[in-house]
Amino acid sequence: MEIKITKKNSAFILIQILTLSYLTIFFTGCMNDVNEPQSVNKNTVMLLDSENKTLVQVEYADFDSINSKSDNEIIRYIIELLAKGVEGSKYESTIDDNIKLKQVSVLNSRVILDFTNEYYNQSAINELYMRSSIVRSITELDRFSSVEFYVESNPLKTGDSKMIGKLRKQDVLLTYDEATNRNEQQILTIYFPNEDNLLLVPTIVEVTASPNRKIEDIVIDQLISADKKLLPLGVELLNVYTHEGICFIDFSSEFKTSPLPQDISERIAIYAIVNSLVELTHISKVQILVNGKIEFVFQKNLSLNRIFIKNYSLIEF
Amino acid sequence: MYRLSGVLVIIIRNKRRKRTAISIRITLFFSLVSMGLATVVILSVIVISSTNQSYTTEKKKELYRQANTIAISLVTTGYFNEMRDKSYLATIQASVAGRGLVLNKHGIILFDSNHLDVGKSYATIQVVDGLQGNSSYYFMEEANLAMVTVPILDADFNSVLGVVVVSDSFDDIDESISQLMNLTLLVAVFLIVMVSLVSYYISNNFNKPFKELIEHINRFSGGHVSETIEVKGNKEIEEIAISFNDMIKELEATESNRKQFVANVSHELKTPLSSVKVLAESLLHRPDVPIDIYQEFLSDINQEVDRETKIINDLLKLVTLDKKENPLIVTKVVINELIENVMKRLKPLADIKNVQMYLESYKKIIVEVDETKIELVITNLIENAIKYNKFDGVINITLDTEYKDVVISVRDTGDGIAEESIELIFKRFYRVDKTRSRATGGTGLGLSIVKRSVHMHKGTVECISEVGEWTEFIIKLPLKQGKRVGENGNKDNEKK
């Protein structure tokens, strides 16, 4: 007697390994035609790419001849290139035919251009293209640091009758990437405690920071990360913004719970913050929040339930 | 030889099992775990990506809202009037999460919430686009920063006064997402551990009854035939165990039937031979046996040989009926005539006991049957009715139709059969009263042949009896044997 068992070979089940993948966030693209300026003294001018409506670097042929020419000749040559464009290509001129360059003068490295009155007849966008392409094309050469615009011997004014003044290379930005991925040097006045921690000493600090960082943020960061600690340890800045002259600083809860460094009084800590911030022209008063809330007591005695103004009595001169 | 090959077969099967077949437990475990894993991973990916998506979309909308609020508020508060009301500028920083810029129509920055870029010019494609009245969204992957540019339209929506640029970092979203991912990972690890444990438990429990079953079957194969299986598990497993037990019972019954049958056959075949032997020996051992004694003894021997022949013939008939390939040769038969012929043939036998036979039929019935087999059935039944009848008895044969069947009943006026014996009379060599039936010269196979033949026709046979009064056999046969019926008949064959 035999019982036959027919075995069906069971199918192997493959364990599917699914990789976690981030969703790539949106791209808008199309900003790549502009070559980042790689080195100084490049023989390029900024012309308008008619397809992408952006200013792009276009090489021009006779670089060698540039060195032998005078500053005036070089500038006139560049302006001529900008007015002409590259025929038969997508690179268009940025200067209207009607606008004539009356005079060019170079003072040290400052370039002063005087245009005919037709400058004001062009559209605002064309004006933006023209001005930007001139500034970037000229300052692309190392020997020129800035460009000033004049129309019929008067300084150029934009529609809201504001003077433009001299424009350096960094004053004209052609892409958002260029505008974002740069560091700007800033000069701040920060109040640090003196040796015996009784008074505050105004100290000039030079900071290079991204233009996307709020200046208030940079100021607070200087105080939090100072070598000589003066704020409660471990405190973090949650948010900072200024509304109608009042700067609102939102600290993490450590501001209240974590102890102050030795010998630093509550007043010194608070007014180091307040005085440093009020140095900024757009700030006159300071409100301190902890986790977004108004606290009645800072650490022991000092009330945070008020708007602080600059304290002159604590400043050491 | 057979045993040897059996061993060989088992070895081969064992080897093969080890090489290719995977335990149901492992299969189940990995199925459950991979299912759990896939669910967790898919769910995590969906949750995280959709959260990221919604954060991103929300951020984008928020940036547009902020930018347009600033653009419209600047116009309505009179910033672009001749009065140059700058009061609104002081509120911009508080109303944007990141940075807010106001540019005039020449692309020059008039206001920067970070106070850095005032006086600079943005000649970007988005600003130019904005100055032409279009809004745009731009994301910088490297800086992880989104920028929205919207035009500032004057009160009549006729001309563009400038653009508002609002930017915000995606760092907060990334942080939320990474927190979510950590949490998801934690939950996923926990879930996978849980799923693994539960899967392990389930697959182990699932496997256990199978293992028990296999063990029992192996023991059964090893010769522990009388053992019954008690396996507790799911419904299906229990059903397998029950079926297996039923199968064993059936096998046992078959086996004991076979033994009984062999014993009966031996006995039945031996009895006439013993008689012959005794008769022959008594002649041989006695000298001077008168001739009439010889004649008497030889005639007895002749009778015994006839009996032996009859038994063997019946056995052969039965064996033929048992054969699977034995088909029904169906023809249209007038059953009335068939029965009358049988009655005519058996009249001399009935006359010996002075038994009266009556056929009661109201119409001519044509049935599709295998004529020889049915004739045998009728013969056997009537012969039995004569043999087991009392002297001067009566046999009533009735013939009728009922729905799609023909009903033949044979009723005698014999001693009847006790209720407990009725079930057994169709078994081979069964006799209600052995001594008596031997005297009647039966082989004990007649009713077996009847039952077999009737079943082959997809009919039924039934026996009812009143002890000391009468016995009645009722046969029902389908009037028509369709193709299907023939097949069924064969199946029936196999079953019995």
Side-chain angles (χ1 to χ4, degrees):
Chain A
M1 164 89 38
E2 191 175 328
I3 299 163
K4 280 192 181 171
I5 301 163
T6 51
K7 277 210 169 185
K8 200 175 144 193
N9 279 346
S10 56
F12 289 89
I13 292 155
L14 294 172
I15 302 166
Q16 293 181 331
I17 299 161
L18 299 167
T19 50
L20 282 169
S21 59
Y22 277 112
L23 263 202
T24 324
I25 319 167
F26 306 100
F27 285 95
T28 45
C30 84
M31 292 302 290
N32 303 324
D33 264 26
V34 180
N35 302 315
E36 292 295 319
Q38 285 158 357
S39 61
V40 288
N41 273 340
K42 277 197 77 177
N43 50 338
T44 56
V45 286
M46 308 304 293
L47 289 174
L48 184 65
D49 181 337
S50 58
E51 287 172 10
N52 294 320
K53 295 190 289 180
T54 47
L55 293 173
V56 291
Q57 285 186 323
V58 180
E59 286 187 29
Y60 54 91
D62 43 356
F63 175 70
D64 292 336
S65 62
I66 283 209
N67 287 331
S68 60
K69 284 174 180 165
S70 73
D71 287 350
N72 269 19
E73 281 174 327
I74 292 168
I75 288 161
R76 283 192 178 276
Y77 179 66
I78 289 171
I79 299 293
E80 202 182 310
L81 284 173
L82 293 175
K84 220 163 57 182
V86 180
E87 273 179 47
S89 77
K90 61 177 183 176
Y91 303 116
E92 288 179 359
S93 113
T94 59
I95 301 173
D96 195 273
D97 290 343
N98 299 323
I99 303 165
K100 302 296 176 205
L101 182 62
K102 282 177 73 181
Q103 200 190 331
V104 178
S105 46
V106 179
L107 294 172
N108 298 323
S109 60
R110 286 167 61 197
V111 177
I112 296 156
L113 304 174
D114 192 7
F115 289 98
T116 56
N117 206 36
E118 280 79 15
Y119 188 99
Y120 285 125
N121 293 343
Q122 63 186 327
S123 76
I125 292 171
N126 282 350
E127 194 275 332
L128 176 60
Y129 281 138
M130 176 181 166
R131 183 161 38 84
S132 303
S133 69
I134 290 171
V135 171
R136 289 299 291 264
S137 298
I138 290 172
T139 57
E140 198 64 31
L141 298 168
D142 241 5
R143 64 178 90 172
F144 307 119
S145 67
S146 67
V147 180
E148 285 168 62
F149 288 81
Y150 282 78
V151 177
E152 303 290 352
S153 305
N154 291 314
L156 172 67
K157 290 173 181 177
T158 58
D160 35 7
S161 65
K162 226 181 188 175
M163 287 212 297
I164 302 283
K166 63 173 185 179
L167 295 168
R168 296 159 302 163
K169 187 179 178 180
Q170 65 263 39
D171 290 331
V172 174
L173 299 158
L174 301 182
T175 66
Y176 278 158
D177 295 83
E178 191 181 62
T180 305
N181 302 325
R182 69 190 163 96
N183 283 322
E184 198 73 23
Q185 195 175 56
Q186 299 183 52
I187 294 164
L188 303 167
T189 305
I190 308 291
Y191 286 77
F192 290 114
N194 65 0
E195 276 176 36
D196 49 13
N197 296 323
L198 294 173
L199 293 170
L200 293 164
V201 185
T203 314
I204 303 295
V205 177
E206 274 187 39
V207 189
T208 48
S210 158
N212 283 303
R213 276 190 76 184
K214 285 177 188 168
I215 197 148
E216 295 91 331
D217 183 12
I218 298 167
V219 169
I220 304 289
D221 192 46
Q222 289 292 315
L223 293 167
I224 289 177
S225 59
D227 293 336
K228 188 181 165 187
K229 298 291 172 209
L230 65 136
L231 294 182
L233 296 170
V235 70
E236 281 176 51
L237 180 64
L238 300 179
N239 198 2
V240 62
Y241 58 89
T242 306
H243 184 72
E244 297 190 329
I246 304 170
C247 181
F248 292 82
I249 317 166
D250 190 5
F251 282 117
S252 64
S253 50
E254 283 85 359
F255 191 71
K256 201 173 138 68
T257 56
S258 180
L260 278 167
Q262 216 174 356
D263 298 333
I264 301 285
S265 68
E266 286 178 279
R267 270 164 63 84
I268 287 293
I270 293 293
Y271 283 103
I273 298 167
V274 174
N275 284 5
S276 299
L277 284 172
V278 172
E279 281 295 318
L280 301 172
T281 52
H282 64 288
I283 297 174
S284 56
K285 296 167 188 170
V286 175
Q287 171 69 60
I288 294 170
L289 307 169
V290 178
N291 279 332
K293 290 181 283 191
I294 293 172
E295 290 291 338
F296 287 92
V297 181
F298 170 28
Q299 294 253 326
K300 286 171 189 164
N301 306 314
L302 197 76
S303 169
L304 293 179
N305 187 20
R306 65 192 181 98
I307 295 171
F308 293 98
I309 55 166
K310 191 170 181 177
N311 184 323
Y312 290 93
S313 63
L314 284 174
I315 301 172
E316 184 187 84
F317 291 100
Chain B
M1 188 63 195
Y2 178 79
R3 189 93 190 100
L4 205 68
S5 71
V7 170
L8 199 69
V9 164
I10 288 164
I11 290 166
I12 289 166
R13 209 187 57 196
N14 278 347
K15 265 191 175 175
R16 209 183 55 196
R17 184 191 297 171
K18 266 178 194 158
R19 221 184 315 136
T20 58
I22 287 175
S23 166
I24 196 164
R25 184 171 63 98
I26 292 166
T27 314
L28 192 67
F29 176 75
F30 280 109
S31 308
L32 290 171
V33 167
S34 52
M35 245 155 57
L37 199 73
T39 312
V40 167
V41 169
I42 289 168
L43 205 68
S44 309
V45 169
I46 288 172
V47 165
I48 288 168
S49 60
S50 72
T51 308
N52 196 2
Q53 183 80 43
S54 80
Y55 276 174
T56 308
T57 318
E58 196 44 52
K59 187 89 150 188
K60 194 172 165 180
K61 282 191 228 161
E62 184 60 34
L63 285 173
Y64 271 113
R65 271 198 291 274
Q66 290 170 0
N68 282 316
T69 306
I70 293 168
I72 290 164
S73 300
L74 281 171
V75 174
T76 54
T77 56
Y79 180 68
F80 285 98
N81 289 353
E82 277 148 32
M83 299 293 288
R84 291 255 155 225
D85 186 345
K86 294 184 179 174
S87 59
Y88 182 72
L89 295 178
T91 66
I92 289 179
Q93 204 200 28
S95 64
V96 295
R99 185 188 186 192
L101 300 172
V102 180
L103 286 76
N104 71 5
K105 61 181 174 181
H106 292 271
I108 297 168
I109 296 173
L110 303 174
F111 172 79
D112 175 6
S113 68
N114 289 357
H115 305 279
L116 263 179
D117 285 352
V118 176
K120 292 186 178 178
S121 300
Y122 275 13
T124 70
I125 184 171
Q126 293 85 359
V127 168
V128 171
D129 222 25
L131 291 173
Q132 287 168 340
N134 304 314
S135 299
S136 63
Y137 173 88
Y138 181 59
F139 181 74
M140 281 171 285
E141 203 179 6
E142 200 188 321
N144 201 26
L145 195 82
M147 291 181 108
V148 157
T149 312
V150 300
I152 304 168
L153 301 164
D154 74 356
D156 305 327
F157 292 95
N158 284 330
S159 60
V160 179
L161 302 170
V163 293
V164 170
V165 179
V166 173
S167 66
D168 195 13
S169 165
F170 270 53
D171 289 345
D172 52 343
I173 290 181
D174 289 355
E175 201 184 323
S176 303
I177 293 296
S178 82
Q179 276 176 8
L180 186 67
M181 277 178 82
N182 287 342
L183 190 73
T184 315
L185 196 71
L186 207 73
V187 172
V189 167
F190 173 76
L191 279 180
I192 285 163
V193 168
M194 286 301 290
V195 165
S196 301
L197 287 175
V198 170
S199 305
Y200 184 77
Y201 178 78
I202 289 174
S203 56
N204 253 10
N205 269 21
F206 184 80
N207 197 29
K208 210 184 275 174
F210 279 107
K211 270 192 167 172
E212 273 177 43
L213 195 65
I214 290 166
E215 211 171 278
H216 276 292
I217 292 170
N218 284 343
R219 282 167 70 80
F220 178 80
S221 312
H224 298 261
V225 183
S226 54
E227 208 170 83
T228 53
I229 298 177
E230 264 183 59
V231 178
K232 291 228 183 316
N234 289 6
K235 192 181 154 217
E236 286 78 7
I237 303 277
E238 281 180 5
E239 275 175 11
I240 290 175
I242 289 164
S243 302
F244 190 78
N245 286 338
D246 289 350
M247 191 183 79
I248 288 172
K249 268 181 212 158
E250 191 72 18
L251 286 171
E252 278 172 359
T254 310
E255 180 65 11
S256 95
N257 270 355
R258 193 184 60 83
K259 282 177 183 166
Q260 186 67 42
F261 180 73
V262 170
N264 287 344
V265 168
S266 315
H267 181 76
E268 293 295 327
L269 292 177
K270 201 185 158 195
T271 317
L273 282 178
S274 306
S275 305
V276 170
K277 174 91 175 157
V278 169
L279 290 166
E281 272 180 351
S282 56
L283 282 178
L284 284 173
H285 291 287
R286 272 173 64 180
D288 311 326
V289 184
I291 189 104
D292 51 331
I293 299 285
Y294 263 112
Q295 275 176 344
E296 191 192 328
F297 276 30
L298 280 174
S299 129
D300 285 351
I301 287 169
N302 190 40
Q303 267 179 23
E304 290 301 324
V305 171
D306 284 347
R307 214 169 107 74
E308 184 88 25
T309 310
K310 197 169 190 299
I311 291 170
I312 289 168
N313 280 342
D314 275 1
L315 274 173
L316 282 175
K317 272 179 205 157
L318 211 53
V319 168
T320 316
L321 287 175
D322 275 346
K323 276 186 189 162
K324 280 181 187 172
E325 61 269 25
N326 180 36
L328 286 178
I329 303 157
V330 177
T331 49
K332 284 188 178 170
V333 176
V334 182
I335 197 80
N336 311 49
E337 289 171 6
L338 189 139
I339 294 171
E340 277 164 18
N341 286 339
V342 173
M343 285 168 73
K344 228 176 266 172
R345 232 173 343 98
L346 292 174
K347 183 84 172 45
L349 193 67
D351 287 345
I352 296 170
K353 289 174 95 171
N354 196 25
V355 169
Q356 298 301 312
M357 294 189 283
Y358 303 103
L359 175 62
E360 212 178 297
S361 79
Y362 308 100
K363 58 192 171 195
K364 191 171 132 186
I365 299 164
I366 298 168
V367 194
E368 286 180 4
V369 289
D370 185 326
E371 190 171 2
T372 38
K373 291 194 175 83
I374 290 304
E375 193 178 342
L376 194 64
V377 167
I378 306 289
T379 311
N380 277 341
L381 284 179
I382 297 176
E383 209 177 324
N384 275 357
I386 297 166
K387 278 180 196 163
Y388 299 104
N389 218 326
K390 59 181 183 194
F391 279 87
D392 307 320
V394 179
I395 297 170
N396 280 310
I397 302 159
T398 57
L399 185 58
D400 204 351
T401 53
E402 187 178 275
Y403 189 46
K404 286 182 176 174
D405 294 331
V406 59
V407 184
I408 306 160
S409 126
V410 179
R411 182 173 173 149
D412 64 30
T413 51
D415 286 342
I417 303 162
E419 208 176 314
E420 62 269 19
S421 298
I422 285 182
E423 276 180 40
L424 303 167
I425 52 170
F426 293 105
K427 287 203 170 187
R428 292 164 190 195
F429 295 115
Y430 181 83
R431 286 197 172 97
V432 179
D433 178 354
K434 296 208 172 189
T435 45
R436 236 203 101 181
S437 22
R438 189 139 306 137
T440 58
T443 59
L445 294 170
L447 283 175
S448 292
I449 293 167
V450 168
K451 188 184 173 187
R452 197 92 207 86
S453 305
V454 170
H455 279 178
M456 281 179 83
H457 285 83
K458 183 106 182 114
T460 57
V461 57
E462 195 189 347
C463 173
I464 47 176
S465 179
E466 183 74 49
V467 177
E469 297 286 330
W470 49 265
T471 305
E472 184 175 6
F473 286 89
I474 303 156
I475 295 171
K476 289 182 185 173
L477 294 170
L479 287 167
K480 282 181 180 171
Q481 299 280 336
K483 259 187 194 170
R484 210 160 41 82
V485 178
E487 277 167 20
N488 286 351
N490 278 345
K491 264 184 198 161
D492 212 45
N493 245 345
E494 286 166 37
K495 229 186 265 175
K496 301 294 157 187

